[in-house]
């Protein structure tokens, strides 16, 4: 049976409209969900060399950490594409996209994959927990997320600091990390590869010591209530 011409035109127009609609970040195939709980979700984004994404939207409060630098060309919907120089491992990006979603398309124009780890807010703590003696002056923050970056040459430790809020520890580079707990007989030693992460809750006082031979970049991202 042949469709009337009017219906055929409407069907083709609807199909073209559907193709033009951006995907959600959850539908974009280069994003992989690695952790989700009542407070946040962690996604790994990997764009192979010479590959591209369709248009997709980010609509959560997000902080991302570059774990595999590459040369990207990014086009925000309605704007021209912009080529970005390779951001170093440990570079931070993000914002609050809950009221103004970021709709974009990306091309990896280099010969190596681009990798990033995204921490996205889905809930907030039930109480505004103070942070006595904790890390100060975030390197990047949104209303409910705060990121602290530690650049640790071989043999160097971060200052001792206290977390009373839940947080994610991210290895932006591979590292042999010693988590030194004041008063403890032995540190916690862990070997991390670029893009590894750990989720922590409860109070923790520690310093981070680079026990490897190369410089390490470690990022801690806390979940908190809106600042007063």
């Amino acid at each position: 049976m042949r469709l009337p011409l009017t219906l055929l035109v409407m069907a083709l127009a609807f199909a073209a409209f559907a193709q033009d609609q951006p995907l959600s970040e959850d539908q974009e195939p280069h994003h992989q969900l690695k952790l989700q709980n009542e407070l946040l979700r962690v996604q790994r984004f990997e764009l192979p060399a010479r590959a591209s994404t369709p248009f997709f939207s980010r609509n959560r409060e997000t902080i991302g950490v570059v774990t595999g630098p590459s040369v990207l060309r990014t086009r925000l919907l309605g704007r021209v594409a912009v080529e970005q120089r390779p951001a170093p491992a440990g570079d931070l990006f993000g914002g609050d996209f809950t009221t103004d979603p970021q709709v974009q398309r990306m091309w990896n124009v280099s010969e190596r994959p681009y990798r990033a780890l995204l921490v996205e807010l889905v809930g907030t703590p039930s109480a505004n927990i103070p942070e006595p003696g904790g890390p100060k002056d975030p390197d990047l923050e949104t209303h409910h997320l705060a990121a602290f970056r530690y650049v640790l040459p071989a043999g160097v430790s971060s200052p001792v600091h206290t977390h009373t809020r839940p947080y994610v520890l991210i290895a932006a580079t591979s590292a042999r990390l010693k988590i030194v707990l004041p008063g403890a007989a032995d540190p916690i030693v862990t070997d991390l590869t670029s893009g590894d992460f750990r989720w922590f809750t409860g109070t923790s006082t520690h310093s981070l010591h680079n026990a490897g031979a190369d410089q390490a970049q470690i990022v801690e991202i806390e979940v908190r209530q809106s600042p007063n």
Side-chain angles (χ1 to χ4, degrees):
M1 184 178 72
R2 299 178 62 184
L3 289 174
L5 181 59
T6 302
L7 291 179
L8 180 60
V9 171
M10 290 177 63
L12 292 174
F14 179 80
F17 175 79
Q19 287 182 344
D20 287 340
Q21 298 308 295
L23 301 176
S24 72
E25 187 180 69
D26 302 336
Q27 298 169 317
E28 203 289 314
H30 298 93
H31 289 77
Q32 295 182 335
L33 182 64
K34 295 299 180 180
L35 171 72
Q36 179 157 357
N37 56 41
E38 71 281 2
L39 293 176
L40 55 78
R41 51 190 283 155
V42 177
Q43 292 209 78
R44 179 166 288 129
F45 175 60
E46 179 169 347
L47 191 58
R50 300 296 172 181
S52 64
T53 71
F55 274 108
F56 68 95
S57 64
R58 285 193 176 128
N59 57 9
R60 300 183 181 93
E61 202 169 320
T62 302
I63 291 181
V65 182
V66 175
T67 59
S70 189
V71 181
L72 292 182
R73 182 176 296 133
T74 301
R75 181 188 170 194
L76 296 177
L77 189 64
R79 302 183 185 180
V80 299
V82 176
E83 190 164 302
Q84 300 166 311
R85 294 181 178 179
D91 196 59
L92 304 173
F93 60 91
D96 186 352
F97 307 117
T98 54
T99 57
D100 185 18
Q102 185 181 57
V103 180
Q104 61 187 340
R105 185 180 181 190
M106 295 179 177
W107 295 261
N108 184 348
V109 297
S110 79
E111 300 300 330
R112 58 185 179 182
Y114 173 84
R115 298 185 180 95
L117 215 62
L118 307 172
V119 176
E120 304 173 336
L121 186 80
V122 296
T124 55
S126 58
N128 193 17
I129 303 169
E131 189 64 80
K136 306 296 183 183
D137 298 327
D139 293 279
L140 181 66
E141 61 183 331
T142 62
H143 293 300
H144 304 97
L145 299 172
F148 306 88
R149 180 172 52 198
Y150 300 95
V151 181
L152 302 175
V156 171
S157 299
S158 74
V160 176
H161 54 276
T162 299
H163 294 279
T164 56
R165 303 181 179 108
Y167 72 99
V168 183
L169 183 149
I170 297 169
T173 62
S174 296
R176 184 172 180 81
L177 191 67
K178 288 185 179 180
I179 303 176
V180 182
L181 309 174
D186 298 304
I188 300 170
V189 182
T190 180
D191 290 307
L192 303 170
T193 59
S194 176
D196 283 351
F197 68 92
R198 303 287 187 268
W199 166 246
F200 295 96
T201 59
T203 299
S204 172
T205 298
H206 61 242
S207 65
L208 307 174
H209 177 79
N210 179 6
D214 300 314
Q215 178 174 277
Q217 296 233 20
I218 305 297
V219 177
E220 295 177 327
I221 300 179
E222 289 187 343
V223 184
R224 62 185 184 183
Q225 284 198 330
S226 298
N228 294 330

